[in-house]
């Protein structure tokens, strides 16, 4: 490897880590385009020196296969050439390979510690971003700026819980500092007053409690007590805000009992969901194509005010309408991939760290995807691909002699 190539790879690694884990909550929608640009540069370098063959492993091939299957669906259902271009929403999955390989080649002995500290910084920055926005907007909930409040909430929670890998990978006082990660992530989420991302908090907290108990060998009674106290404090804070946040118990009760849901946002989403389900039934095998998710659903909407929305605010239905059963299979594969690839990763001292991080991704993307677009949205798709590349490539022990 030439000195120039070595410097390029070194700079790319730090740019990927900092952009993804820390600055994504500040740079917002600029982040995926910057990551894609870095990924393209690394891909060209790999193709030019022949090291692309190293990508013929389960992780890169999994994501390449998913993209190719989706591309086939979009091409078959396309009504005009531009319909196929929606596959570029998933380009970060293709660039997983060069990013993963480069991170793996440049991984240091303390890679997991670096990741944890950058993720903690990202979670803390998300709180700062929200406090600045609240002050600037006079306390109003607004999507003004480079990142929407729901996108910020989803990202803050992911980064906050990822920071906990440092509790197992680091030593001394720092182990306690990482506990601020979930606190900061959840705090930022509540400050956004976004309701959908709240659903991921309880399952993520349970996964974190199990991880901490096993990694730090803490008594299960203490872990359980901390878990219950944390969830109770979160619930009390959410309910104390009143307004749209205080309506959550009533919405859940109405949905479970079959009563009419008396919340405008919830009504809109339920309308989108029933329309999406009917659109899926019209083309259940390969769907209507990503370009026609809304066109296929609009005839079934009760409220035509929703016709201008770009998607159905539910990942499962977006994939079902766009790709039918084939699309659903791709969606399930994307959710399962982190845990499966984590299990297939080397049995070194950081395996538990990787498995926990991969579990965080699967849980967050599943629950956040129940009420919003995660896969197919360039920001969250890029974060999914790059965070997994970081966990699987960078958070590994170095082989002897490296």
């Amino acid at each position: 490897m030439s000195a120039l190539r070595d410097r390029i790879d070194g700079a790319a690694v730090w740019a990927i880590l900092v952009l993804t884990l820390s600055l994504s909550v500040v740079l917002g929608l600029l982040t995926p385009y910057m990551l894609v640009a870095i990924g393209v540069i690394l891909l060209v370098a790999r193709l030019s020196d022949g090291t692309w063959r190293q990508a013929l492993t389960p992780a890169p091939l999994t994501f390449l296969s998913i993209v190719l299957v989706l591309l086939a669906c979009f091409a078959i259902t396309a009504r005009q050439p531009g319909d196929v271009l929606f596959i570029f929403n998933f380009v970060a999955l293709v660039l997983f390979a060069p990013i993963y390989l480069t991170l793996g080649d440049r991984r240091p002995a303390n890679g997991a510690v670096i990741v944890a500290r950058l993720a903690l910084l990202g979670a803390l920055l998300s709180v700062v971003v929200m406090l600045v926005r609240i002050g600037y907007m006079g306390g109003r909930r607004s999507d003004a700026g480079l990142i929407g409040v729901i996108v910020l909430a989803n990202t803050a929670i992911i980064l906050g819980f990822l920071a906990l890998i440092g509790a197992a990978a680091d030593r001394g006082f720092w182990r306690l500092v990482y506990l601020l990660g979930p606190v900061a992530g959840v705090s930022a989420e509540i400050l956004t007053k976004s309701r959908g991302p709240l659903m991921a908090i309880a399952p993520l907290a349970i996964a974190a409690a199990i991880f901490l108990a096993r990694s730090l060998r803490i008594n299960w009674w203490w872990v359980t007590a901390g878990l219950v106290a944390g969830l109770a404090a979160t619930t009390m804070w959410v309910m104390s805000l009143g307004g749209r946040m205080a309506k959550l118990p009533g919405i859940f009760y109405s949905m479970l009992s079959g009563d009419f849901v008396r919340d405008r946002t919830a009504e809109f989403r339920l309308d989108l969901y029933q329309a999406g389900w009917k659109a899926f039934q019209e083309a259940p095998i390969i769907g209507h194509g990503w370009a026609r998710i809304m066109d296929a659903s609009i005839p079934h909407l009760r409220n035509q005010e929703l016709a201008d929305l770009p998607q159905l605010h539910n990942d499962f239905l977006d994939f079902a309408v766009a790709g039918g059963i084939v699309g659903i299979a791709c969606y399930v594969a994307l959710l399962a991939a982190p845990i499966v690839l984590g299990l297939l990763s080397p049995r070194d001292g950081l395996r538990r760290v990787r498995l926990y991080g991969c579990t965080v991704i699967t849980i967050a993307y599943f629950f956040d995807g129940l009420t919003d677009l995660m896969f197919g949205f360039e920001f969250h798709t890029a974060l999914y691909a790059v965070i997994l590349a970081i966990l699987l490539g960078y958070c590994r022990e170095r082989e002897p002699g490296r």
Side-chain angles (χ1 to χ4, degrees), residues 243-295:
R244 66 195 308 272
M245 303 296 275
K247 293 180 181 179
L248 283 171
I251 294 172
F252 285 122
Y253 177 78
S254 296
M255 293 177 64
L256 292 174
S257 63
D259 292 340
F260 180 74
V261 177
R262 301 183 183 279
D263 180 86
R264 183 178 175 83
T265 302
E267 288 178 38
F268 284 175
R269 275 181 163 76
L270 292 175
D271 192 9
L272 287 169
Y273 301 162
Q274 64 83 24
W277 180 249
K278 291 177 181 176
F280 160 68
Q281 292 176 312
E282 292 174 346
I285 307 301
I286 58 173
H288 301 271
W290 202 269
R292 299 193 66 252
I293 288 176
M294 289 307 297
D295 287 344

Side-chain angles (χ1 to χ4, degrees), residues 14 42 53 85 101 109 140 215 275 281 366 386:
W14 277 106
L42 296 177
R53 295 180 180 84
L85 297 180
L101 292 175
R140 290 185 292 111
S215 299
Q281 292 176 312
F366 172 73
V386 178

Side-chain angles (χ1 to χ4, degrees), residues 11-364:
V13 165
W14 277 106
I16 289 167
L17 292 173
V18 175
L19 275 173
T20 306
L21 300 172
S22 298
L23 295 184
S24 56
V25 296
V26 178
L27 297 175
L29 300 185
L30 297 177
T31 305
Y33 299 102
M34 298 171 75
L35 290 173
V36 165
I38 295 171
V40 169
I41 293 172
L42 296 177
L43 176 61
V44 171
R46 292 278 171 180
L47 291 173
S48 65
D49 65 12
T51 56
W52 62 269
R53 295 180 180 84
Q54 298 173 10
L56 301 178
T57 56
L61 291 177
T62 295
F63 297 121
L64 179 60
S65 299
I66 291 172
V67 173
L68 291 176
V69 171
L70 289 174
L71 175 60
C73 288
F74 298 172
I76 293 171
T77 58
R79 295 190 177 182
Q80 54 188 9
D83 291 352
V84 182
L85 297 180
F86 280 88
I87 196 63
F88 284 101
N89 290 357
F90 301 90
V91 69
L93 297 178
V94 177
L95 297 174
F96 169 90
I99 293 173
Y100 164 75
L101 292 175
T102 304
L103 289 169
D105 289 345
R106 305 284 302 196
R107 68 186 186 274
N110 64 336
V113 174
I114 293 172
V115 170
R117 293 184 180 183
L118 289 174
L120 176 60
L121 175 59
L124 293 171
L125 281 174
S126 66
V127 176
V128 174
V129 169
M130 274 312 302
L131 290 175
V132 171
R133 289 178 64 161
I134 289 172
Y136 178 74
M137 300 301 297
R140 290 185 292 111
R141 185 174 184 267
S142 171
D143 275 328
L146 292 173
I147 186 168
V149 288
I150 297 178
V151 178
L152 177 60
N154 290 332
T155 308
I157 290 175
I158 292 171
L159 295 177
F161 280 94
L162 274 180
L164 284 180
I165 67 176
D170 213 339
R171 295 290 181 269
F173 172 73
W174 270 100
R175 283 188 163 190
L176 297 177
V177 175
Y178 296 114
L179 297 177
L180 290 174
V183 175
V186 172
S187 297
E189 197 288 334
I190 295 175
L191 288 173
T192 69
K193 296 184 180 179
S194 302
R195 298 183 299 191
L198 288 172
M199 290 192 292
I201 292 177
L204 283 173
I206 293 171
I210 295 172
F211 171 68
L212 290 174
R214 291 182 174 178
S215 299
L216 304 182
R217 298 181 181 180
I218 304 173
N219 185 285
W220 282 101
W221 288 107
W222 286 107
V223 172
T224 303
L227 175 63
V228 172
L231 292 177
T234 300
T235 302
M236 291 173 62
W237 186 6
V238 169
M239 296 306 297
S240 71
L241 295 176
R244 66 195 308 272
M245 303 296 275
K247 293 180 181 179
L248 283 171
I251 294 172
F252 285 122
Y253 177 78
S254 296
M255 293 177 64
L256 292 174
S257 63
D259 292 340
F260 180 74
V261 177
R262 301 183 183 279
D263 180 86
R264 183 178 175 83
T265 302
E267 288 178 38
F268 284 175
R269 275 181 163 76
L270 292 175
D271 192 9
L272 287 169
Y273 301 162
Q274 64 83 24
W277 180 249
K278 291 177 181 176
F280 160 68
Q281 292 176 312
E282 292 174 346
I285 307 301
I286 58 173
H288 301 271
W290 202 269
R292 299 193 66 252
I293 288 176
M294 289 307 297
D295 287 344
S297 303
I298 286 172
H300 306 292
L301 288 172
R302 300 189 187 99
N303 188 338
Q304 289 299 311
E305 293 180 34
L306 305 176
D308 292 332
L309 292 176
Q311 38 87 16
L312 296 167
H313 285 269
N314 180 280
D315 270 350
F316 174 85
L317 287 173
D318 283 332
F319 276 83
V321 176
I325 294 173
V326 176
I328 292 173
C330 290
Y331 172 62
V332 172
L334 286 170
L335 287 177
I339 294 176
V340 173
L341 294 173
L343 289 170
L344 293 175
S345 65
R347 292 183 174 275
D348 57 17
L350 293 175
R351 189 166 186 265
R352 179 176 291 165
V353 164
R354 287 192 300 276
L355 277 173
Y356 166 71
C358 290
T359 301
V360 167
I361 297 302
T362 292
I363 291 174

